[in-house]
Amino acid sequence: MVQDDLNLNASILCVGEAPGAVEEKMGRVFAGPSGRVWELWLAYAGLNRRDMHVTNFLRYMPST
Protein backbone atom coordinates (compact mmCIF):
# COMPACT_ATOMS: atom_id res chain seq x y z
CA MET A 1 0.00 0.00 0.00
CA VAL A 2 1.23 3.48 -0.85
CA GLN A 3 1.83 5.74 2.13
CA ASP A 4 0.96 9.44 2.16
CA ASP A 5 3.57 12.07 2.91
CA LEU A 6 1.97 13.32 6.10
CA ASN A 7 2.41 16.88 7.29
CA LEU A 8 -0.61 17.65 9.44
CA ASN A 9 0.62 21.22 9.99
CA ALA A 10 0.90 21.97 6.26
CA SER A 11 -1.18 24.69 4.69
CA ILE A 12 -0.85 23.02 1.26
CA LEU A 13 -2.56 19.78 0.26
CA CYS A 14 -1.46 18.05 -2.93
CA VAL A 15 -3.74 15.29 -4.22
CA GLY A 16 -2.83 12.93 -7.04
CA GLU A 17 -5.23 10.64 -8.89
CA ALA A 18 -3.93 7.19 -7.97
CA PRO A 19 -0.57 5.47 -7.47
CA GLY A 20 1.20 4.11 -10.53
CA ALA A 21 3.37 1.03 -10.78
CA VAL A 22 6.49 2.76 -9.42
CA GLU A 23 4.56 4.22 -6.48
CA GLU A 24 3.10 0.80 -5.70
CA LYS A 25 6.58 -0.76 -5.79
CA MET A 26 8.20 1.95 -3.65
CA GLY A 27 5.22 2.47 -1.35
CA ARG A 28 5.34 6.26 -1.67
CA VAL A 29 3.16 8.81 -3.46
CA PHE A 30 4.66 10.72 -6.41
CA ALA A 31 7.73 8.47 -6.51
CA GLY A 32 7.80 7.74 -10.23
CA PRO A 33 8.78 9.80 -13.27
CA SER A 34 5.87 12.21 -12.86
CA GLY A 35 6.88 12.70 -9.23
CA ARG A 36 10.36 13.77 -10.31
CA VAL A 37 8.86 16.34 -12.70
CA TRP A 38 6.49 17.50 -9.95
CA GLU A 39 9.41 17.98 -7.55
CA LEU A 40 11.24 20.07 -10.17
CA TRP A 41 8.18 22.32 -10.48
CA LEU A 42 7.96 22.56 -6.69
CA ALA A 43 11.60 23.65 -6.53
CA TYR A 44 10.96 26.22 -9.27
CA ALA A 45 8.12 27.60 -7.11
CA GLY A 46 10.34 27.60 -4.01
CA LEU A 47 8.44 24.74 -2.37
CA ASN A 48 9.39 21.34 -1.04
CA ARG A 49 7.22 18.26 -0.67
CA ARG A 50 8.01 18.28 3.08
CA ASP A 51 6.09 21.58 3.24
CA MET A 52 2.81 19.95 2.23
CA HIS A 53 0.52 17.02 2.86
CA VAL A 54 0.71 14.72 -0.18
CA THR A 55 -1.84 12.00 -0.93
CA ASN A 56 -3.82 10.29 -3.69
CA PHE A 57 -7.55 10.41 -4.30
CA LEU A 58 -7.66 6.67 -4.95
CA ARG A 59 -5.67 4.20 -2.85
CA TYR A 60 -5.15 1.79 -5.76
CA MET A 61 -4.98 2.23 -9.53
CA PRO A 62 -8.21 0.85 -11.01
CA SER A 63 -7.67 -1.95 -13.51
CA THR A 64 -9.01 -1.46 -17.00
Side-chain angles (χ1 to χ4, degrees):
M1 182 159 169
V2 176
Q3 296 295 316
D4 297 343
D5 283 352
L6 299 175
N7 181 346
L8 301 178
N9 296 317
S11 59
I12 300 172
L13 170 66
C14 183
V15 181
E17 177 188 10
V22 175
E23 287 80 10
E24 287 284 345
K25 182 179 178 182
M26 296 183 72
R28 184 173 181 223
V29 294
F30 291 97
S34 60
R36 287 191 291 279
V37 172
W38 174 68
E39 287 183 351
L40 287 172
W41 281 102
L42 287 178
Y44 182 74
L47 299 170
N48 190 300
R49 73 187 291 150
R50 291 185 308 262
D51 300 330
M52 54 191 71
H53 183 98
V54 186
T55 189
N56 282 315
F57 180 74
L58 300 173
R59 303 311 296 166
Y60 301 97
M61 178 61 79
S63 59
T64 55

